[in-house]
Amino acid sequence: MEEARANGPNGELPRPVVEGPTNPMVTPLLTDLYQFTMAYAYWKAGKHNERAVFDLYFRKNPFGGEYTVFAGLEECIKFIANFRLTEEEISFVRQSLPSSCEDGFYNYLRGIDCTDVEVYAISEGSAVFPKVPLVRVEGPVAVVQLLETPFLNLINYASLVATNAARHRFVAGKSKLLLEFGLRRAQGPDGGIGASKYCYLGGFDATSNVAAGKLFGIPLRGTHSHAFVSSFMSPDEIVGKSLHSSDGSTTCEDFVSLVQTWLSKIQWSNSLNGTFGETNQSELAAFMSYALAFPNNFLALVDTYDVMRSGIPNFCAVALALNDLGYKAVGIRLDSGDLAYLSCETRKFFRAIEKEFGVSEFGKMGITASNDLNEETLDALNKQGHEVDAFGIGTNVVTCYSQAALGCVFKLVEINEQPRIKLSEDVSKVSIPCKKRSYRLYGKEGYPLVDIMTGENEPPPKVGERILCRHPFNESKRAYVVPQRVEELLKCYWPGNCSDHKREDLPSLKEIRQRCINQLEQMRPDHMRRLNPTPYKVSVSAKLYDFIHFLWLNEAPVGELQ
Amino acid sequence: MEEARANGPNGELPRPVVEGPTNPMVTPLLTDLYQFTMAYAYWKAGKHNERAVFDLYFRKNPFGGEYTVFAGLEECIKFIANFRLTEEEISFVRQSLPSSCEDGFYNYLRGIDCTDVEVYAISEGSAVFPKVPLVRVEGPVAVVQLLETPFLNLINYASLVATNAARHRFVAGKSKLLLEFGLRRAQGPDGGIGASKYCYLGGFDATSNVAAGKLFGIPLRGTHSHAFVSSFMSPDEIVGKSLHSSDGSTTCEDFVSLVQTWLSKIQWSNSLNGTFGETNQSELAAFMSYALAFPNNFLALVDTYDVMRSGIPNFCAVALALNDLGYKAVGIRLDSGDLAYLSCETRKFFRAIEKEFGVSEFGKMGITASNDLNEETLDALNKQGHEVDAFGIGTNVVTCYSQAALGCVFKLVEINEQPRIKLSEDVSKVSIPCKKRSYRLYGKEGYPLVDIMTGENEPPPKVGERILCRHPFNESKRAYVVPQRVEELLKCYWPGNCSDHKREDLPSLKEIRQRCINQLEQMRPDHMRRLNPTPYKVSVSAKLYDFIHFLWLNEAPVGELQ
């Protein structure tokens, strides 16, 4: 993230100026109306500046898994760093509230920003778990409420799609290229841009989305579509047929004829014999044109007519002609049919070409597969055996088709230094009160063992010292842990006016991506597996446990059986 | 949509200037890289200006239904009206393509816009069906390809979420208020903004999303959250206790005491006796504060502690105190628990209050329900019986949780006046070739009977004349129809330089919403029902049928059994 610096009026070392959110539509109005009605009611009650602490967390990992990748923090910080209501926005708020609301409130809105707000968060790209605060926001209650909806909006989808991407990576394995192709099916323009960013964060290698490439420096991939293939009629329409050799030393004046010669060699070859008859000429013309335009980057989509009877022989003829001129074709893409079978048949054909014509490495030609891939189909491909080197994944990864939302919530845990609890008949929805600290405790083998939340002022867990970790709501679940390493999870990403804390730098997207990869690699494998993963333990200190249950009893009404 | 007009250089009557897309991130770079690599290959082959026709359509209705609401057109038109690559964008494209690409291409990119492009579309807000083109785009092949991804991105989610909203409306019934509360769970910032726009289009009444209210004039709704309730400790902290009466004639100096008096009346009432003991005082304080801030708009969230033992009696005490001062409370919101049961119990309580204290209309107090509502839960509530007047729906409607993507595609159907077909082993994926016209034929009872596609130059179906409608791929499925009304579906929304056609005006969002409501009301009920709806028929003319199958045979390779 780029930061501009300007000297303050008294020449003091200035705070870094953080640029605004990626999407200019992220403004203070990107919030629920009730945040403004509440702000008015707080203001009217003289309560707006009471200092409140809110926790942002989720209750359940997505996709039936036992981990989540935290993402979206940078956009939140960019948002609050530039949080100010414009006159136009204030005037819209005025229109939207009852006319009985007093003018003084709009003057108040004119003055607010996030200099009184502090934001503590787990580092973006971390593995995170239910109930543990991802973000803790402290500040004047009316201002912090206004941040609720945009924070949830910026974090919910980002974390969901990053997790989804990480899960796809896990199934595909480290050695495969993962390409995100989802822009056309994404939930709106920045559903697409966000997907590209957070899929990359979650471990994808590249995207087809040019805008995301420009905004975030994500590597771009893409060649051609079926329409390109069917836009050609026959090789006769190719006008410019000449192609320089790769080293520039010679020129082939008729690349079209060279390809056609190779095609008949393939057709008449004994080892390849009988696998196909006439190939589709419009496809052949399209491949030749594409190769003439991109002789160094020839990757062809081979399923417009028929993969094995047309696409693959046509591709090989063009690739062999390119080879004559010193170019190395990149490979093919399959976008339909039985990808396991077709990739294996294709690989055999490539190997047969290598053998028959003595073109070394031809058998290792790249095979990309696309067409509605998801975790299940990747897993099925692995089980069947396949020869795919790269997967292009669209709809399922970007829209998180198997679970389209993450349920992060934003709960008041303290106001005026008074702890608050949100009760519910559903125990999983009871909030954990108090301004808290959280720690990740690591075991002997280097794996994280448990996350523990404590009260703000409790002494932190110490390496080598036994500590009791309790389930927050189930009194029988508890365990002693002797941590070999203790990591404090919440770091200060926005100190506001509070000078006690240095602001953590916002790392680059590449660094966040690497953190994600490292974090998931250090998890114990049974937490990560697709089927029946073991839940990672989340706990509270004994002291916090007692306090939660004291407060709960205090707030819950006593029933009367009738 | 606002339009600015400026005189052209020769004083000629100018084309209206259309403002840009709602989201400034919608630029020509919001596309897949392969659109640019193909554009280069077309350009290199001298083929870039060949006139191509593409159809945008989907293959299957979403959500297990038999209809779809078409949305997103206005944003597409705003996009192409302003389609130009900036120097910065061109320079990024240059960076992203191989360095071997020739400079001339970038000069070409500098010059392109959509003045040579024509866009024909079904009116936004219409009921639409599989295979029938929603949009037909004609123009230079390289330019039209660049439009593919943004058009799909802008239409896929818009149509999906509008359809989802319409389905929720269908189950909820016309008389209920439907409020969209999904911003916090939406897929990114304009996943949220788009959801608010297209839920309104699909028949919702209002949104909580302030930014969407400002951008599109959608009515806004919202009051307060659980955090507001738990931010109060007790009525003692309320400082400003006075409230003017509604007509301004008197002032109640101690509204807090007035409420407390009412609360004991309720507690000691015979008819309400025994339903609750002490209510939660922090909740009572929050309700009083909210009422003091919004005496005309008092709507309280009643489930922070316990609905029947605390929330409802507290609400009633405040509402009755307001009533003394001439204000009418708006109602309550339930956000957890058994909504059918709680809404009925609440209604009984309100009626008992009306009777006991002679407050007319109190029994009709508004009841809003929220908490993970979707089509199924609305249907279940209807079956159980409930007393809810308004539904707040979030996650499920905005993320289209039950099906997170619509699969619109963009297929080449003609180039240089040559019809093109895209084959597939899966018949449902074979495209319908040719530049076509489409008509909706209506029967005697006013219902639409069938959509029919014909070749561009076939005579249109005539009212009262029998016409054969054939299934495009199943030879045995055909039917004669004598239409009582014939509606041509594709209208010209962007004529480019083509002066034959007048450009259709883009209607306001309210008008599109009304079209959607009208269109769905005029469908035969069996197409609309939730369970096992009857498919609406989509057909081709006899002539087009014959041509499709001629072309198919012509392009498909002949297999060799081995």
Side-chain angles (χ1 to χ4, degrees), chain A residues 154-382:
Chain A
L154 292 168
I155 288 170
N156 263 322
Y157 176 60
S159 300
L160 182 74
V161 73
T163 308
N164 201 18
R167 294 180 62 85
H168 281 76
R169 164 60 71 197
F170 184 82
V171 183
K174 279 194 216 179
S175 68
K176 302 298 173 190
L177 268 184
L178 289 188
L179 318 172
E180 175 271 308
F181 285 171
L183 178 57
R184 62 187 59 200
R185 300 283 167 82
Q187 297 202 348
D190 79 3
I193 290 173
S196 302
K197 176 175 180 181
Y198 297 114
C199 282
Y200 184 65
L201 188 159
F204 272 49
D205 297 296
T207 179
S208 65
N209 179 344
V210 182
K214 181 164 187 291
L215 282 165
F216 310 117
I218 305 170
L220 288 171
R221 286 301 181 96
T223 53
H224 70 83
S225 70
H226 296 116
F228 182 81
V229 174
S230 50
S231 78
F232 287 82
M233 302 297 287
S234 87
D236 301 343
E237 65 185 299
I238 299 177
V239 188
K241 301 179 181 183
S242 75
L243 183 62
H244 294 293
S245 65
S246 170
D247 59 7
S249 63
T250 58
T251 299
C252 164
E253 293 302 337
D254 190 349
F255 184 70
V256 170
S257 296
L258 182 60
V259 171
Q260 278 162 332
T261 308
W262 270 114
L263 187 59
S264 25
K265 284 191 201 169
I266 298 171
Q267 276 161 333
W268 292 102
S269 137
N270 280 333
S271 64
L272 306 164
N273 194 10
T275 51
F276 63 97
E278 282 297 307
T279 63
N280 185 291
Q281 294 299 293
S282 96
E283 180 178 68
L284 184 63
F287 289 0
M288 292 191 289
S289 282
Y290 198 82
L292 285 162
F294 298 104
N296 276 308
N297 302 77
F298 179 58
L299 193 156
L301 175 62
V302 293
D303 69 337
T304 306
Y305 300 102
D306 188 299
V307 174
M308 297 314 299
R309 291 198 295 234
S310 183
I312 293 296
N314 278 339
F315 167 81
C316 289
V318 176
L320 289 164
L322 284 172
N323 182 64
D324 285 349
L325 299 172
Y327 298 102
K328 203 164 173 285
V330 175
I332 57 117
R333 177 160 72 96
L334 298 166
D335 188 41
S336 59
D338 180 337
L339 300 174
Y341 171 79
L342 289 172
S343 68
C344 293
E345 288 301 300
T346 299
R347 181 68 69 210
K348 274 191 230 162
F349 200 94
F350 287 160
R351 288 190 182 129
I353 294 268
E354 174 168 342
K355 204 171 162 198
E356 174 88 5
F357 303 112
V359 184
S360 71
E361 307 277 298
F362 203 100
K364 292 183 185 154
M365 188 69 72
I367 299 177
T368 300
S370 48
N371 190 28
D372 267 344
L373 297 173
N374 59 24
E375 274 192 70
E376 281 67 39
T377 50
L378 292 178
D379 190 52
L381 283 170
N382 289 343

Side-chain angles (χ1 to χ4, degrees), chain B residues 459-522:
Chain B
K462 288 203 183 70
V463 169
E465 272 186 25
R466 203 171 76 145
I467 182 169
L468 182 62
C469 297
R470 298 200 65 164
H471 186 289
F473 302 113
N474 184 332
E475 62 177 345
S476 68
K477 288 192 179 172
R478 58 223 157 126
Y480 284 107
V481 174
V482 181
Q484 302 304 305
R485 182 155 81 87
V486 174
E487 180 188 10
E488 178 152 16
L489 291 174
L490 291 172
K491 289 174 185 156
C492 180
Y493 280 91
W494 185 256
N497 286 328
C498 168
S499 51
D500 301 353
H501 293 281
K502 193 193 143 286
R503 178 159 83 79
E504 291 285 324
D505 287 333
L506 292 172
S508 71
L509 179 59
K510 278 215 169 72
E511 291 167 310
I512 300 172
R513 178 175 186 269
Q514 197 54 53
R515 163 179 285 276
C516 170
I517 293 169
N518 296 344
Q519 286 254 316
L520 298 180
E521 275 180 2
Q522 74 170 8

Side-chain angles (χ1 to χ4, degrees), chain A residues 29 32-34 37 47 88 153 156 183-184 187 190 208 210-211 214 223 230-232 274 399 420 562, chain B residues 29 31-34 37 47 88 153 156 183-184 187 190 208 211 214 223 230-232 274 399 420 562:
Chain A
L29 294 198
D32 292 307
L33 183 66
Y34 79 1
T37 52
K47 211 175 147 69
E88 194 198 346
N153 179 276
N156 263 322
L183 178 57
R184 62 187 59 200
Q187 297 202 348
D190 79 3
S208 65
V210 182
K214 181 164 187 291
T223 53
S230 50
S231 78
F232 287 82
T399 66
R420 305 307 284 151
Q562 291 171 46
Chain B
L29 294 197
T31 200
D32 292 307
L33 183 67
Y34 79 2
T37 53
K47 212 176 145 68
E88 194 197 347
N153 178 276
N156 263 324
L183 178 58
R184 62 187 59 198
Q187 296 202 348
D190 80 3
S208 66
K214 181 164 187 292
T223 53
S230 51
S231 77
F232 287 81
T399 66
R420 306 304 287 152
Q562 293 170 48

